[in-house]
Amino acid sequence: MSKLKIAIVISTTRATRFGHKPAEWVKTIAAERSDMTVELLDLRDYPMPFFDEVASNAWAPTTNEVAQRWQKKVAEFDGYIFVTAEYNHSMPAVLKNALDYAYPEWVKKAAAFVGYGAVGGSRAVEHLRLVAAELQLATIRTGVYIQGADFMAALREGKDLKEIPHLQQGVRDMLDQLAWWSTALKIARQQDVLTKAA
Ligand SMILES: Cc1cc2nc3c(=O)[nH]c(=O)nc-3n(C[C@H](O)[C@H](O)[C@H](O)COP(=O)(O)O)c2cc1C
């Protein structure tokens, strides 16, 4: 089977964001693996308006050109790693908007989460898991939560995340699970195509 294609989504866009740092760190660890290729998806590159279509693209084609480009990009992948901040105990609005702007592109694929914040972005990740269920994304048990002193050291003192061994191991465990589920779902999606063609 060809290598899995995994997207790492940078979920915040503000000028002084921290979000690209954990995303790049996860990419470096994932790039050591031979079973997947990884690509960063930066929501800054997809400046979509707040959702303004007649319906989800599950029901009606999207007219906004940036959103069409986003949907095409999302469709390329077998699995996703959402690297998310926690804004008032949930996911950043820009991420929710981007999730809403696609539907079939997410379906029957796998999703993993890396959160950061005072409690590791865990409340945002739990909300994301509920949203993912509606998008028919299968979520991976092991999340990575950059929290407390680790988060403050990285945010305020610029500590490199690769210097925090327990977080590195967490990413590796998450990637193992993501690879398993992404492979299983890729085979199942291919089987869907074969069944429909028969
Ligand atoms: C609007 C807003 C709401 C926030 N709410 C929370 C929160 O609920 N929990 C938390 O741990 N941090 C919260 N923070 C602090 C963020 O963890 C911190 O600013 C982080 O750097 C945000 O990610 P970003 O830099 O990628 O935007 C909030 C920050 C903003 C801007």
Side-chain angles (χ1 to χ4, degrees):
M1 193 192 302
S2 56
K3 284 188 183 190
L4 297 167
K5 288 195 73 182
I6 303 295
I8 301 174
V9 180
I10 306 175
S11 305
T12 56
T13 54
R14 66 193 183 93
T16 58
R17 73 173 179 200
F18 171 74
H20 57 284
K21 291 189 181 166
E24 284 158 7
W25 165 70
V26 170
K27 187 180 179 211
T28 306
I29 300 169
E32 293 166 4
R33 300 178 65 107
S34 59
D35 57 350
M36 58 177 67
T37 60
V38 279
E39 182 176 331
L40 285 178
L41 292 195
D42 190 339
L43 294 183
R44 280 184 184 164
D45 296 331
Y46 299 89
M48 295 172 272
F50 276 121
F51 192 90
D52 188 21
E53 298 287 331
V54 292
S56 154
N57 74 327
W59 307 107
T62 297
T63 57
N64 180 273
E65 286 180 8
V66 181
Q68 289 173 357
R69 187 163 58 77
W70 169 244
Q71 290 165 1
K72 277 199 192 114
K73 178 47 79 177
V74 169
E76 289 178 15
F77 298 95
D78 301 306
Y80 309 89
I81 302 169
F82 295 98
V83 178
T84 188
E86 180 174 290
Y87 284 1
N88 296 312
H89 291 198
S90 190
M91 71 204 78
V94 71
L95 173 58
K96 180 61 164 61
N97 198 46
L99 289 165
D100 292 342
Y101 258 119
Y103 190 88
E105 296 81 6
W106 301 120
V107 168
K108 298 177 181 170
K109 296 179 179 172
F113 305 98
V114 175
Y116 53 91
V119 291
S122 54
R123 293 163 295 210
V125 169
E126 291 302 301
H127 279 180
L128 266 170
R129 289 180 185 278
L130 293 173
V131 174
E134 180 56 17
L135 298 171
Q136 300 186 53
L137 278 163
T139 62
I140 302 313
R141 174 184 180 252
T142 298
V144 176
Y145 301 98
I146 305 164
Q147 60 187 304
D150 290 340
F151 176 58
M152 294 317 284
L155 183 73
R156 300 233 188 280
E157 293 148 34
K159 183 165 181 177
D160 197 327
L161 292 165
K162 72 173 186 242
E163 290 166 19
I164 309 176
H166 67 96
L167 290 179
Q168 302 270 111
Q169 189 53 47
V171 173
R172 293 199 175 96
D173 293 345
M174 179 191 73
L175 290 170
D176 285 345
Q177 291 178 21
L178 180 65
W180 194 96
W181 283 97
S182 298
T183 302
L185 291 166
K186 185 174 178 181
I187 293 167
R189 289 197 309 278
Q190 285 167 351
Q191 194 62 40
D192 270 358
V193 172
L194 294 175
T195 312
K196 278 179 194 146

